[in-house]
Amino acid sequence: MVKILMLISLVLFSFTILIAVYRIIKGPSKPDRVIALDMIGVNLLASIAVVSCILLTKAFMEVILILGILSFIGTIAFSKYIERGIIVERRHNR
């Protein structure tokens, strides 16, 4: 029974990822696209966690951690680019 519920949750996570891909393609503004990209990252992490529970392994925990960190950094970088137009500020005080 639990395995069936986990498979159903995988299907629903896949569906929400497809909805987010649609929002990235048709998003009316850049912030909408950034939020959709972050949503894909969160749903991907949740999907990997469910797969890890289905397979009864802890092998994917490092993958979840690394993808979570990369998703967070990517969201911050995109947000900074939208706000200021550049990601890395270089100060030349010579």
Side-chain angles (χ1 to χ4, degrees), residues 20-36:
V21 168
Y22 175 76
R23 177 52 55 195
I24 288 174
I25 294 170
K26 294 291 232 178
S29 65
K30 288 181 184 178
D32 290 332
R33 291 184 172 115
V34 171
I35 291 171

